Amino acid sequence: MNLADLNKVALAMVTPGKGILAADESSGTIKKRFDAIKVESTEENRRDYREMLFRSTEAMSKYVSGVILYDETIWQNAKDGTPLVKLIEQSGAIPGIKVDEGTQALPQCPGELVTVGLDKLAERLKKYYERGARFAKWRAVIDIGSGIPTMTAISVNAHALARYAALCQAAQIVPIVEPEVLMDGDHDIDRCYDVTQRVLNKTFQELRVQRVELEGMVLKPNMAISGKKCAKQASVDEVAEKTVRLLKACVPAAVPGIAFLSGGQSDEEATAHLDAMNRIGNLPWKLTFSYGRALQAAPQKAWSGKAENVAAGQRAFTHRARMNALASKGEWET
Ligand code: 13P
């Protein structure tokens, strides 16, 4: 492993004024997104949609540091035969790849999941590196509910995240470590804070045990935020203040950067929260975005599967990317 090179890539991923486009929806998830805009989820439509994003020259060259791809996309070519990975590289952004293989029910833990995909991961990483991927992503999912999460779910998911991260670094690929605490329930922000604290502490403990080099990774956490169904929704300032406090307590300064997931927040909330955190300032790591829905909901709607809407889709994507890029510097204005 060349740690200096891993660190260089990690720092590039979190360059102030840029962030990551999470375009790695699995086949099931992209189908859900396409259903909402009444577009059939065919291989060609998925390609056309993602090609539209990657050919958004202004967004890609100015505001996007890296793109997380799904396995299908990394092997796909644009309509003119250019590999989609090449389009990303030509724009100056770094190609990345989602390498987990989704979740399975965790035995003895009703309602809880464990992320799988470690088998043969070393071989897969080698192929992805050859294709141009310089970073990867693995998402663990922790749900909050009555009696959950259990320490069992937190431990096994943290262990798998660290196994994945160590394998990535051995393959000269920067791991995005993503332990996502879902915002789906009716819990309040303080419960989210407590659970996320336990999850992050366990994750960094496992990363240390498995000798992952913190300088060569990027953390992708959820924010400390109220559950979607909670009657009392925390304000932007409370989310920012509590998330920064939580991260300062749990994330070593050796980590170059933190790139948040949007997790179901509205486009504007996701931007406002990131902006408010960066306005607090004096942080040991860079804070930016690695958004899926909060970057893509608007372009998906504008595009709606029609070739004549490509320019409108690209404008919508560029707008959200620019807003989040400003937020990554604490310079966003409503
Ligand atoms: P969202 O921003 O839509 O949560 O997606 C980010 C992601 O990559 C989740 O794994």
Side-chain angles (χ1 to χ4, degrees), residues 22 24 33 68 137 139 178 180 220 260-264 290-294:
D24 60 323
R33 307 278 182 261
I68 317 176
K137 174 188 122 171
R139 172 174 175 256
E178 181 180 6
E180 175 173 5
K220 177 163 173 168
F260 292 100
L261 57 95
S262 61
S290 175
Y291 294 161
R293 281 163 284 182

Side-chain angles (χ1 to χ4, degrees), residues 37-115:
I37 52 167
K38 302 198 171 56
V39 174
E40 200 190 338
S41 184
T42 61
E43 189 176 339
E44 194 179 352
N45 285 342
R46 293 193 290 270
R47 192 274 312 275
D48 289 350
Y49 168 65
R50 285 163 171 153
E51 179 173 352
M52 171 183 85
L53 297 179
F54 307 157
R55 283 197 194 274
S56 302
T57 320
E58 184 190 342
M60 292 293 296
S61 60
K62 284 191 179 163
Y63 313 127
V64 173
S65 58
V67 181
I68 317 176
L69 301 168
Y70 186 57
D71 179 74
E72 174 184 273
T73 320
I74 202 169
W75 305 109
Q76 262 173 338
N77 294 334
K79 225 176 197 114
D80 69 2
T82 315
L84 292 178
V85 191
K86 283 276 167 294
L87 291 186
I88 295 166
E89 286 168 350
Q90 282 161 9
S91 74
I94 309 168
I97 180 77
K98 168 194 173 79
V99 300
D100 69 69
E101 295 180 324
T103 54
Q104 284 180 0
L106 183 61
Q108 304 279 37
C109 297
E112 297 195 286
L113 301 168
V114 60
T115 302

Side-chain angles (χ1 to χ4, degrees), residues 262-274:
S262 61
Q265 300 177 43
S266 74
D267 299 359
E268 248 202 40
E269 279 166 353
T271 303
H273 290 147
L274 177 62

Side-chain angles (χ1 to χ4, degrees), residues 194-260:
D194 285 346
V195 170
T196 307
Q197 184 164 37
R198 273 195 284 151
V199 169
L200 289 176
N201 284 340
K202 189 68 193 169
T203 301
F204 280 98
Q205 184 191 342
E206 279 295 339
L207 290 168
R208 269 195 298 276
V209 167
Q210 298 189 43
R211 307 183 183 192
V212 173
E213 300 282 5
L214 301 184
E215 292 87 348
M217 64 163 270
V218 168
L219 179 71
K220 177 163 173 168
N222 54 284
M223 299 176 194
I225 196 165
S226 322
K228 259 192 240 164
K229 289 184 246 154
C230 179
K232 196 172 156 275
Q233 290 290 311
S235 67
V236 169
D237 285 343
E238 187 177 0
V239 169
E241 183 263 316
K242 287 190 170 161
T243 304
V244 165
R245 185 149 57 92
L246 167 66
L247 293 173
K248 278 188 174 168
C250 303
V251 184
V255 174
I258 296 174
F260 292 100

Side-chain angles (χ1 to χ4, degrees), residues 8 19 85 134 148 227 285 299 332:
K8 224 191 275 170
V85 191
R134 291 297 174 268
I148 61 169
W285 1 250
W332 174 70

